[in-house]
Amino acid sequence: MQKNNYHRFHIPVMGIGFTLDTPVKVAKYGIDSVISIVDDIIIEQMREYYYTTLGRIYQPITKKDNDYRAGRITDYLNLVNSMVKDKFQKLKNQKFEQKLDLHKYFELLPETSPIKLLYKKMEKENDSVQKEKLQNELKDQLRCGAIDVNIMAKVDTVNYDSKGNALPEIYNDAMAALRGFANSDLDAAVILSAGLNPRLYTYFEEFNDFYPDENSYLKKRIILKVSDFRSALIQGKILAKKGLWVSEFRIESGLNCGGHAFATDGKLLGPILEEFKTKKEELQTELFSICQTALKNKGIQNFKEIPLTRLTVQGGIGTANEQQFLLDYYQVDSAGWGSPFLLVPEATNLDESTLQQLATAKKEDYYLSDASPLGVPFNNLRNTSNQQLIQERVDKNRPGSPCLKKFLTFNNEFTEKSICTASRQYQDLKLKELEETAVSQEEFDEKSKKILEKECLCEGLAVPALLANDAAKPKQIKAVSICPGPNLAYFSGTFSLKQMVDHIYGRAMILNQLNRENMFINELEMYVNHLKKEMNKSLNEWTTKQIKYFENFKNSLLEGVDYYKGIMTKMYLETEEYRQKSIQSLNAWEEKIQRIEIPQVSFA
């Protein structure tokens, strides 16, 4: 299996374009990052950009080419892989005395890393022969960061030929993306997020790289992004029955994260991590038994021993102490730092205007919106250029997006062929329906606002990759959507890669002056607000099922508060004052939760 990296953090996928070429920028330093491969159109434009920049011949892959979507993805990933390998080799060829990227590689590492300690020893060595020996040893131990990819499993739209006929399901978006990754020369992992797609999971069986070789090595690996242990077990079993091993469970906070927010039923991150910690061995053993049986039945080489299963966590981490607690207490292998890296131009893509907007944003500028056409709560920033474009279109009486990419076409209210709720076609039809059914102007205004709030995320989350690299086409839509996690409210300004990594490892502090509670308490506040919001939606139409759901949600929050009171005392890196203030805050939240009244309605 792939060796663990020296770093204890990773950069998760962000949007579509924000991390589209992040490995090209940071992998040479041994930092793992993730590319979204949902959008082959933006990938094709980035192919053209990099081929041209490198002075190589660019051969377009057009819609006239067979299996063009997968072909674009495969070639782009191969291109990124070659660029990363080239940059990494150039770094290894540098001399230590030059104080260039080779020096930076070691400076970025955590202080406790064995290779960092060896580097410091080499720096102090005066004997030239011994110094050269240590330098060669250090270069031999260098490791490149991972080039992993992300597929939103449920974003699996049906595609059509030039005559309007539906193509076979292997040409669906997620299926083609998987094929594009599987056919690439990457030795890497695919992260599956946003739900379970049985058809996609079955398709994994078509590719040999997801099965162990004679040395039990997996060239292509599977990572599941999950919100709780039950989801991990269910999905892990589905894959294991196909002989497919899950190499990592990536646990993400339901609400304290960027992008789409998939709230749990009141289960908080701490208790979820505790369950993974106590049941990890049980999980591995059960999945291994199922997987070995499946491999044997398929006539495929079995694993020689239980493969590595990594546990990682992400969502709302803001300090070195928080990260270290997650690593030590919950025994996770890595912590994901996403949104803060939006403020690091060395690592991610963002146009200058949106970057400055983020750098100066206030806490109230971050909010959970209904802007996503998927119908899932979406973390957002107020007054983005995409939101301004939406208003301009409304003012011109031309609401909605032209819907050029069609990746989020899932609505069949008015049409046989699915369309997107952010599209001009859908919004025209929906507003006409509303005009005919609304009983008052107030009702029309309220409901139309929700219709018009939908953003074209296909364009808005992708175009930053082109804007940052000055690669956008003249007539291309350049309005940007941004999906930062609410934790970004505690970071102001822009930072170098070194400044951000130093903050992660406790060598620097770059938080702004806002009072920031522990990440677990911040998430708790979000869940309390979410519960109240969901209850307000149901005030006039309570059902027995809803009442039971809200009661369970409330009880889960109270159980979480009780759990946090216990582990706060174990945060040994924090001061006694910090721990006591956190417990006082938890007591206050406990009272607020207890005061939430869930009406008991008679259904006689």
Side-chain angles (χ1 to χ4, degrees), residues 401-419:
S401 163
C403 198
L404 302 174
K405 294 185 175 180
K406 305 186 187 304
F407 293 127
L408 300 180
T409 51
F410 297 107
N411 186 279
N412 293 103
E413 283 182 68
F414 306 105
T415 56
E416 183 177 344
K417 186 184 292 187
S418 298
I419 58 177

Side-chain angles (χ1 to χ4, degrees), residues 280-298:
K280 179 183 176 180
E281 187 174 338
E282 174 188 331
L283 176 66
Q284 284 180 304
T285 302
E286 184 171 2
L287 295 183
F288 180 66
S289 175
I290 296 170
C291 191
Q292 289 288 76
T293 300
L295 289 172
K296 183 179 179 181
N297 292 338
K298 287 175 177 282

Side-chain angles (χ1 to χ4, degrees), residues 199-259:
R199 178 176 56 201
L200 179 67
Y201 285 18
T202 298
Y203 194 44
F204 273 87
E205 297 180 81
E206 301 295 320
F207 306 103
N208 291 333
D209 281 355
F210 290 104
Y211 293 110
D213 63 14
E214 63 276 8
N215 297 314
S216 292
Y217 187 78
L218 296 171
K219 183 178 180 181
K220 299 285 196 303
R221 296 168 290 281
I222 299 171
I223 296 175
L224 289 180
K225 186 188 289 186
V226 295
S227 57
D228 57 36
F229 184 83
R230 181 175 177 272
S231 175
L233 181 60
I234 291 172
Q235 294 186 71
K237 282 183 175 181
I238 290 172
L239 291 165
K241 288 175 182 178
K242 303 176 188 299
L244 299 165
W245 183 255
V246 178
S247 297
E248 177 183 326
F249 291 101
R250 187 159 289 189
I251 307 152
E252 184 174 63
S253 168
L255 292 179
N256 199 5
C257 60

Side-chain angles (χ1 to χ4, degrees), residues 267-275 330 520 523 563-564 567:
K267 294 181 180 178
L268 301 175
L269 185 60
I272 290 169
L273 289 170
E274 186 73 45
E275 187 172 14
Y330 295 110
F520 290 143
E523 187 201 47
Y563 169 83
Y564 283 145
I567 66 163

